[in-house]
Amino acid sequence: MKKKSLLGRFLVWRLKHVSNRQFISLLAILIGITSGIAAVIIKNSVHFISSLLQNNSSADYQNFFYVFYPTIGILIAVLFIKYVIRRPVRHGIPNVLYGISKSNAQINRHNMFSSVVTSALTVGFGGSVGLEGPTVATGAALGSNIGRFFHLNYKHITLLLGCACAGAMAAIFKAPIAAIVFALEVIMLDLTMWSLLPLLLSSASAVITSYFFLGMDVLYPFKVQNGFIMSDLPYYIALGIFTGLIATYFTKCYMFINDIFDKIDSIYKKLIFGGLSLGLIIFCFPSLYGEGYNAINASLSGDYSYLFNNSFFYSLKDNFLVFIVLLILVILFKVIAASITFGAGGVGGIFAPTLFMGVNTGVLFAKLVQYFGLRDLEVNNFALIGMAGMIAGVLHAPLTGLFLIADISGGYQLFVPLMITATISYATVKTFETHSVYTIQLAKRKELMTHDKDKNVLSLMSVTRLIEKDFSTVNANATLGELVKVIAKAHRNIFIVIDEENNFQGIVKLDDIREIMFQPERYNEVFVRDLMVVPQVVIQHDESMADVASKYQYSDKFNLVVLDHGKYCGCVSRAQIFSTYRRMLKHFSED
């Protein structure tokens, strides 16, 4: 008898001595630590590459090098993907959402390291994107593959994906509370009290890991000079509307540029066109180089020299109008630079571009209010709160924007204006865009899962897996006598009428021919084509289950025919859908 493997013996021991909840909690801690280590590796790799490039280039020619650095970094990343990984490295958070929706929560093993390498090359060489998405992708791949290694089911692996995402966010931003909110608001689907414990453990272990390697300082040190003033309330509301409009611009611009690159068939054409375009933008606006965190910190402290340093506009740094124009331009061009980075083949995240645009949007808003003499606002406060507004608008995640900015800046004294601006921004952007940049493409393909459990279960179901093929078929030109012979052997009361090429023609119901079928004298004079009816409602083989469920809801049918370009495939029954739904609901979620 063959001995069990070590893993097999462990799994047997675990089932006897460790409950599922205890085991998931232990795995959550492990995933938090590994996600934290991944965040540290990514951050240090980018810092090393960026320092190496900038310290070894003359200040006189640094701008010139900016034209070529992004192309070089993206080229190396593209070659690494093409010849080493040999599989696409998708953007982090959309890839996680797709994995939950369509891949049974399975994420490819190469994502445990491929996002680290490619994002470090992209951002280190100046790609105008962030590191949050790749960190989340790495953590999620770790969570998925650890879950698969221990043969966990779908709902438990999905929970581990949420833990990994929370851990990655907690480590990269040193923001444990915001990380949990992010996992619940953007990633997690089954909102149960029990799922909070693994999320807490993962987030805490990840942030402790980050503290150990990177120190305990907040990401954006911010000192609140003046807290919330009631008379500033209208301006925080106005800032929410303003950031919501900018977030709408972000989404539309991102999708527009993404569509342009989708039409380019060659990866090298994308690289050359995108890389040189990105280099030219960074050459004109050096503040768009890389993540932009140094610029954000400078802006929060009231230092706006990053807009002018190493640029053509340095001699005009004391000109207020030039300052305003530059603010507008870097806000508008940041999303263009980020979108081009992705389109050219780079790997990164959109958190950093969103935060960069948010801080500058807040400064622009406050400065314009002051310039027109409306009110003397605390510019630094509006710079901070502008970031929350942009996160809420671009990600469609107001709670994440609220807690993230409070967490990473220590600005909890401004919690009320953060709440107001984030909420108003989210409400504004929802007026124009139903989905965020993370979900808009998944929604178009009807692959998006939401917090609606019913819709999620339906999205996991497939028409092709529910087809029943035990319905008898009969040719349209067959006689009543031939039909009776088919009925004698059938156990269904519906008969599918097809032609010689399997094209669907209609159906014959047993109840409709019950009287005539007992008249033998008519067997040769009545044909099936005269007896059949054409149903008003049919199902296409590639329809979503949500659409199928809707068809059943508004019809009194118990069976619907499934077609593939007019060809008969089988039928789907109401009973089969219901029983599968109940089974999937148990598979999907269990408190």
Side-chain angles (χ1 to χ4, degrees), residues 239-366:
L239 178 62
I241 297 172
F242 189 44
T243 52
L245 294 174
I246 299 295
T248 302
Y249 160 75
F250 186 111
T251 304
K252 291 185 178 297
C253 183
Y254 177 86
M255 293 307 300
F256 176 75
I257 294 176
N258 183 70
D259 290 341
I260 291 175
F261 278 94
D262 281 345
K263 295 175 183 177
I264 302 175
D265 54 359
S266 168
I267 60 172
Y268 297 109
K269 289 180 181 178
K270 291 180 181 180
L271 174 66
I272 295 171
F273 171 68
L276 293 180
S277 300
L278 176 62
L280 183 61
I281 292 172
I282 295 175
F283 177 74
C284 296
F285 306 102
S287 60
L288 302 183
Y289 184 95
E291 293 179 282
Y293 282 144
N294 291 334
I296 294 173
N297 270 327
S299 183
L300 290 175
S301 63
D303 177 12
Y304 311 114
S305 59
Y306 64 90
L307 293 169
F308 299 92
N309 290 342
N310 301 318
S311 75
F312 300 119
F313 313 103
Y314 184 79
S315 60
L316 302 171
K317 62 181 180 178
D318 297 323
N319 188 309
F320 179 78
L321 291 179
V322 173
F323 165 70
I324 292 297
V325 171
L326 268 182
L327 268 179
I328 295 172
L329 290 176
V330 297
I331 291 170
L332 295 178
F333 274 96
K334 182 63 177 180
V335 63
I336 295 174
S339 302
I340 290 175
T341 302
F342 291 130
V347 176
I350 64 169
F351 259 92
T354 303
L355 293 172
F356 180 91
M357 291 176 67
V359 74
N360 285 292
T361 298
V363 170
L364 175 65
F365 178 85

